[in-house]
Amino acid sequence: MTPPPASRRPVLVGLDGRSGAGKSTLAEALAARPTPHARTAVLHLEEMYAGWDGLAAAIAPDGPYARAVAALAAGRPARWRAWDWHRSAPGPPRTLDPDGIDLVVCEGVGALCAPARPLLDLRVWVAQEDAVRRERALARDGSLYTPHWERWARQERRYLAAQRPQDVADVTVHL
């Protein structure tokens, strides 16, 4: 009897940048791009932040993002519990099974965090001017985000100062 073929792991791309820089737009454009015989999935880190103060925990070495990337890098399904932003409470469980997927785009603030870096095949920093970022983010998320803009920005600044993700990017894009 022949053993089943080894699980093939997808190419992992991390898209990081501050809120409103264009990460989600770029990720969705990559996923929608017609590529013959290639399947793409997008992993949104915002599902892994447990609320407006959840960035550090989501990207910690034992956090949901590090566990998800490690699983995908090993060709195994990634599992996490999504955050329900409207209820401010844990939401449904999520699974991303890499079987048959060729490319996984991991997008969100923290995508290039230290635990994920060695597992990513391509690291992309998405840059944008502060005023443009704020306008985009508030237009996208409106009243849900407005009262939390500065609170979230403080977490981003701490992450940027401590981990310098922009310095480890293979590519920087300005959208």
Side-chain angles (χ1 to χ4, degrees), residues 39-56:
R39 285 192 31 210
T40 302
V42 178
L43 186 153
H44 299 281
L45 270 78
E46 71 183 20
E47 288 192 358
M48 298 179 180
Y49 312 137
W52 293 108
D53 299 307
L55 176 58

Side-chain angles (χ1 to χ4, degrees), residues 92-139:
R94 297 271 199 250
T95 300
L96 176 55
D97 188 343
D99 186 41
I101 295 176
D102 301 293
L103 172 68
V104 175
V105 180
C106 305
E107 74 83 17
V109 178
L112 303 185
C113 65
R117 289 175 189 172
L119 303 174
L120 296 169
D121 299 296
L122 179 64
R123 293 169 293 277
V124 179
W125 178 255
V126 182
Q128 186 50 262
E129 300 299 318
D130 289 347
V132 174
R133 289 187 316 95
R134 181 182 172 95
E135 182 180 316
R136 285 179 180 172
L138 297 181

